[in-house]
Amino acid sequence: MAVEFVGIDPDTDRDHCPTVWADAKTQEILVQGWKPNVETQAQCEASSPANGPVPDSEAIVRIPARMIPMIREACDAIQRAQLR
């Protein structure tokens, strides 16, 4: 199986929660997070004006800093897959 579950926000209610996966086959990290409000999205877009607005096929997601270890673990999973 290419997609590996890495972790879920430890402070979650388990119904609507940030989650991290690693896809070894495509060498990608997948994240589920909260959608930012309109003001936050505008700030993100303004901070990198060369990129323009976020396309409809993409999204900005917000995940808590307490999930950094899970993101690191997902990065490690991708690197391990590259060594195989």
Side-chain angles (χ1 to χ4, degrees), residues 7-81:
I8 194 167
D9 181 359
D11 291 350
T12 186
D13 62 7
R14 301 251 175 219
D15 287 333
H16 303 93
C17 40
T19 307
V20 178
W21 300 267
D23 187 331
K25 183 176 180 181
T26 63
Q27 304 289 289
E28 296 171 329
I29 295 171
L30 304 141
V31 295
Q32 172 186 333
W34 300 291
K35 293 180 182 179
N37 60 32
V38 174
E39 295 83 21
T40 301
Q41 179 152 339
Q43 289 174 3
C44 291
E45 292 173 344
S47 73
S48 57
N51 289 342
V54 176
D56 290 340
S57 61
E58 298 178 11
I60 296 169
V61 296
R62 181 184 295 269
I63 59 170
R66 62 184 167 264
M67 293 183 67
I68 289 171
M70 292 172 209
I71 295 169
R72 287 187 179 129
E73 186 177 337
C75 292
D76 291 345
I78 297 298
Q79 285 184 323
R80 282 192 303 274

